Amino acid sequence: MPSPYRALFAAPGSRAFSAAGFLGRMPLSMMGIGVVTMISQVTGRYGLAGALSATIALSAALAGPQVSRLVDRYGQRRVLRPATLLSLSGAAVLLCAAHYGWPEWVLFVACVGIGCVPSLGAMVRARWAALYRGTPRLHTAYSFESVVDEVCFIVGPIVSIGLSTAWFPEAGPLLAACFLAVGVFWLTAQRATEPAPHPREQQGGGSALRSRGLQVLVATFAATGTIFGAVDVVTVAFAEEEGRKAAASVVLAVYALGSCVAGLVFGLLHFAGAPERRWLLGVCAMAVSMIPLLLVGNLPFLAVALFVAGLSIAPTMITTMSLIEEHVPRAQLTEGMTWVSTGLAVGVALGSSAGGWVIDAAGARAGYGVPAVAGAVAVAVGFLGYRRLERPAPGRGGFVGQHDEHEEPHVA
C-alpha cells in the first residue's frame, strides 16, 4: 500500500472501523443484484425483479437520511443497531416469501423493510472526518473509502450472483444480510472512534438538504444512480441472452475494477483549484462513457467498455465528498453524505425499473439506452447547478480552504 494510505492507519482504531465498514457495505453491492438474480430465477420476470430492487432503493432513499439525522443527534451505536434489526427482519421475510411463493405484495412489503439499512459508507467517512478534518489526509481517507466501495462492487456481485446461480436462488441475499449484521454490530462496538453526537440545539434546526449546493449534488447523483441501476439489470439480462448469465458478475466486477483503479491513483494526486470543476468534468466523463455500451455486441467488448466507464466513478465520488464538506454544517455531516447516497438510491430505483421494463419490451441491447439518457440528464443538471457549487456557504464545518489555492493547493 502506498505510504499516504499507510499513514491513514496510524490513528488508533482506524483499521478496525474501516474493516467493519467494508463488511457492512457488502450488502450495498449484493442485495439489489441478488434480488434481481433470485426473482428472475424463481419467476423468470425481470420486470418484477427490477421493481423489487427499485423498492429497496426507494425505501433506502426515504429512510437513510432520517437514520443519519438521528445518528448525528444521538450517536451511531444508539441508532444503527435498531435500524439494522429492522432491515434484517425485512430480508428474512423476503427470502421466505420468494422460497415459498407467497403473494407479490409480501415481497414488496419486505423490500420496504430492507430499505431501512443504514448508510455504512457515511458512518465510516464521518469517523475519518472526525480524525483528520482540516488536514490533507482527509482527501486520502475519502479516496481510500471510495476504493473500498469499489472493491465491494467487484467482490459483491460475483459472490451474490455466483451463489444464487450455483447453489440456491436465495443464497446471495442471505449472505448479504449476514454481512450487514456482522459489519454494523462490529462497527458500533468501537466506541473510541465514534464521532461525538450533536444534540438538536447544536444543529441549528432543519435538514442538511436546505443547502443549495447539496441540492445540486443530490439531484445530479439521482441521474447518476439511474446509470448504475440500469447497467446492473441490463448487464444480467444481456449475459443471459448471450447464454452466460453467471458471467454477468464478472462483467460488473470489471466495471467496478475500473473505478477502483482510478480511485487509488486519484488519492495519490495533489490538486490545485476549485473542486467543483473536477466534479463537473467527472460527471461529463460518466455520461460520455455510456455511449459505447449502445454499440457492443458481445460480453468481452462489454467488459472493456464498462472498465473504461468505471474510470470516472471514484474520482467523481471523492470530489463529491469534498464538496459536501464545504456546503453542509459539521453537525449534519453524516446526514449530508447520506443525502447523496439517497440521490443515488433514487436513481438506482429508477434505473432498475426502467431497465427491466425496456428489457421485457425490447430486449437487453435496447436497455443500454437507459443509462445513456440518464448520463445526459446528469450533465444537464450539473451545468444548471454549477454556480451554486462555486459559492460554499460561510461558516460550514468542512474544508472550506479547498478553494484557496495558496493555503491548501494539495487538497481535492
Side-chain angles (χ1 to χ4, degrees):
M1 184 180 293
S3 57
Y5 290 106
R6 287 201 306 269
L8 289 178
F9 297 100
S14 56
R15 293 177 184 270
F17 76 68
S18 185
F22 170 73
L23 287 180
R25 269 177 287 182
M26 285 295 289
L28 183 65
S29 64
M30 294 178 64
M31 186 61 76
I33 197 67
V35 168
V36 169
T37 307
M38 176 181 70
I39 297 300
S40 64
Q41 283 189 262
V42 172
T43 68
R45 296 166 58 190
Y46 277 97
L48 175 61
L52 291 172
S53 179
T55 300
I56 295 174
L58 284 175
S59 177
L62 293 173
Q66 313 312 318
V67 171
S68 292
R69 184 182 299 178
L70 293 173
V71 166
D72 283 328
R73 186 175 301 170
Y74 299 111
Q76 294 185 2
R77 182 186 180 92
R78 291 179 62 186
V79 177
L80 296 188
R81 290 188 172 187
T84 300
L85 290 175
L86 181 58
S87 181
L88 292 174
S89 299
V93 173
L94 176 66
L95 296 180
C96 291
H99 183 76
Y100 294 108
W102 294 354
E104 287 184 8
W105 66 266
V106 178
L107 298 174
F108 283 97
V109 171
C111 287
V112 171
I114 294 173
C116 294
V117 59
S119 176
L120 265 291
M123 305 304 157
V124 173
R125 286 179 173 91
R127 293 190 181 220
W128 284 120
L131 287 175
Y132 294 128
R133 180 177 284 109
T135 72
R137 286 188 180 181
L138 187 57
H139 165 68
T140 308
Y142 285 161
S143 300
F144 177 78
E145 291 304 321
S146 290
V147 170
V148 172
D149 285 337
E150 299 311 328
V151 171
C152 290
F153 277 93
I154 292 172
V155 177
I158 293 176
V159 174
S160 186
I161 297 175
L163 287 178
S164 291
T165 55
W167 197 5
F168 57 92
E170 299 85 5
L174 176 60
L175 184 60
C178 294
F179 278 135
L180 176 63
V182 173
V184 169
F185 281 85
W186 184 15
L187 179 68
T188 53
Q190 302 172 43
R191 305 300 297 276
T193 55
E194 180 178 346
H198 301 273
R200 182 190 300 269
E201 59 269 17
Q202 296 181 19
Q203 295 188 12
S207 169
L209 197 58
R210 296 173 64 182
S211 165
R212 291 166 61 84
L214 183 60
Q215 291 169 5
V216 175
L217 297 175
V218 172
T220 304
F221 274 84
T224 303
T226 305
I227 294 174
F228 300 155
V231 166
D232 281 353
V233 174
V234 177
T235 299
V236 173
F238 184 87
E240 185 174 32
E241 286 187 358
E242 295 289 304
R244 300 169 62 188
K245 185 175 182 178
S249 60
V250 178
V251 175
L252 291 174
V254 170
Y255 187 29
L257 178 63
S259 180
C260 182
V261 171
L264 280 172
V265 175
F266 194 78
L268 300 175
L269 302 178
H270 305 305
F271 297 98
E276 61 269 9
R277 289 197 292 269
R278 294 191 297 277
W279 175 83
L280 186 59
L281 179 62
V283 172
C284 292
M286 280 195 286
V288 172
S289 68
M290 292 297 104
I291 297 175
L293 301 184
L294 298 169
L295 308 175
V296 297
N298 55 54
L299 286 174
F301 283 121
L302 176 62
V304 172
L306 286 176
F307 177 83
V308 174
L311 294 175
S312 59
I313 296 174
T316 307
M317 290 299 301
I318 295 165
T319 308
T320 299
M321 295 302 156
S322 297
L323 288 172
I324 293 172
E325 284 267 314
E326 294 188 358
H327 290 274
V328 173
R330 180 178 301 181
Q332 296 176 302
L333 180 61
T334 307
E335 182 190 349
M337 291 179 176
T338 305
W339 272 115
V340 171
S341 299
T342 293
L344 284 170
V346 171
V348 168
L350 294 174
S352 298
S353 296
W357 292 332
V358 173
I359 292 166
D360 287 343
R365 295 174 190 273
Y368 283 116
V370 175
V373 172
V377 173
V379 170
V381 174
F383 272 103
L384 290 173
Y386 182 76
R387 289 189 178 275
R388 293 188 181 188
L389 297 178
E390 288 183 307
R391 297 188 292 271
R396 295 310 191 196
F399 207 166
V400 179
Q402 291 172 41
H403 274 274
D404 192 331
E405 298 181 14
H406 301 287
E407 294 183 7
E408 296 290 349
H410 51 287
V411 177

